[in-house]
Amino acid sequence: MTHPIPFMKMHGLGNDFVVIDAREGHAVDSRLAVAMADRHRGIGFDQLAEIADSDAGDLHLTFWNSDGSTSAACGNATRCIAAWHMARIGLDRVTITTDRGTLLAQRTPDGVSVNMGAPLLDWADIPLAHDTDTLHLPIEGDPVGTGMGNPHCSFFVDDLAAIDLAARGAETEHHPLFPERTNVQFAQVVGPDHLRMRVWERGAGVTLASGSSSCAVAVAAARRGLTGHHVRIDLDGGTLMIDWRADGVWMTGPTAHVFDGVWHG
């Protein structure tokens, strides 16, 4: 039995999170993350976000996957926590630090926008195992490699419904080209500024949505000339708007604070 740990349950388009405020003295470790992630014996989540103090921003976020590993970026969780924090302090803009860097979040008429930073396009920054063309990775299906603080492998397909996401995602996550494993996306072009996408997240599996994956796919599609730099992305859980600007990749969408609870596991 652990000491009781207060938590919040949130989601962005069904991509769900447990949020723990470590400033209250409740630090997270891998074992706790795995226990809380269990959807039958725990709470269940795609990612866990741990809030801490930040010298360079309003707060700092550390992200844990459901398998107990960590990730430097989680766009939907960042948006959800930004919305919560902005409501608490009565402001429409906040600065959040992560292992990815310092991110600006702001309230908009369409939800909450977060600048996820500039995409990483060089093979060593993603990272990949060796020097290769990131616009055409040497993997069957001709995917694109992108770094958004975590690695991404984006496939563009003609028939998204025909893809076995669980099988292809699991296989690609562990491809030897990705020494830190990878998030995997399959996307279909609907129109010049419109994509339909499904996601396999590193350390979590199939998820209804993913913010950083949406950013990566938007960047990959623009680099391939399939879309412009401002795109609508329809995921299994809903829609995000992605805008790749000179100052970074902006992601906009809805947030939900579902409930508060206390963990006694």
Side-chain angles (χ1 to χ4, degrees):
M1 179 73 70
T2 63
H3 294 295
I5 301 174
F7 68 89
M8 297 180 285
K9 186 70 184 287
M10 300 178 170
H11 78 83
L13 308 179
N15 185 199
D16 64 332
F17 318 100
V18 162
V19 181
I20 293 176
D21 195 338
R23 297 172 299 181
E24 298 178 357
H26 306 291
V28 179
D29 59 21
S30 179
R31 188 170 73 168
L32 177 63
V34 169
M36 296 181 83
D38 191 314
R39 294 191 182 273
H40 300 287
R41 297 179 176 85
I43 302 165
F45 61 74
D46 293 326
Q47 277 84 31
L48 184 153
E50 181 183 9
I51 301 174
D53 287 321
S54 172
D55 294 332
D58 293 281
L59 49 84
H60 181 83
L61 297 180
T62 299
F63 304 108
W64 300 80
N65 296 314
S66 56
D67 67 353
S69 61
T70 58
S71 178
C74 184
N76 280 327
T78 302
R79 287 191 307 103
C80 288
I81 294 166
W84 166 79
H85 190 62
M86 285 188 287
R88 291 178 70 231
I89 64 176
L91 296 177
D92 290 329
R93 292 165 64 96
V94 293
T95 301
I96 296 172
T97 60
T98 69
D99 290 346
R100 156 70 164 148
T102 300
L103 310 180
L104 173 66
Q106 58 190 28
R107 198 177 302 281
T108 75
D110 299 315
V112 174
S113 292
V114 173
N115 184 350
M116 295 294 290
L120 305 174
L121 307 179
D122 184 79
W123 71 272
D125 296 328
I126 292 175
L128 302 179
H130 56 79
D131 189 352
T132 190
D133 180 4
T134 62
L135 193 56
H136 296 279
L137 296 181
I139 297 175
E140 184 178 356
D142 188 31
V144 180
T146 310
M148 289 300 308
N150 46 11
H152 296 272
C153 183
S154 304
F155 294 86
F156 293 96
V157 299
D158 294 328
D159 184 3
L160 188 59
I163 299 299
D164 185 340
L165 180 60
R168 294 283 300 278
E171 176 184 22
T172 307
E173 176 186 352
H174 297 276
H175 193 282
L177 186 60
F178 294 93
E180 297 179 4
R181 300 182 294 162
T182 186
N183 298 282
V184 186
Q185 306 89 33
F186 290 88
Q188 182 175 341
V189 177
V190 179
D193 297 297
H194 187 185
L195 298 169
R196 171 76 174 99
M197 184 183 87
R198 300 195 69 207
V199 182
W200 172 276
E201 286 202 83
R202 174 185 64 167
V206 176
T207 58
L208 294 179
S210 169
S212 63
S213 289
S214 297
C215 294
V217 162
V219 167
R223 292 180 69 204
R224 282 271 179 97
L226 302 174
T227 67
H229 281 60
H230 181 81
V231 297
R232 165 182 171 171
I233 299 186
D234 295 333
L235 302 110
D236 289 351
T239 298
L240 289 172
M241 301 302 297
I242 309 296
D243 192 5
W244 182 13
R245 309 177 196 169
D247 65 343
V249 185
W250 286 83
M251 171 185 55
T252 305
T255 65
H257 184 158
V258 185
F259 65 86
D260 296 334
V262 178
W263 170 260
H264 294 276

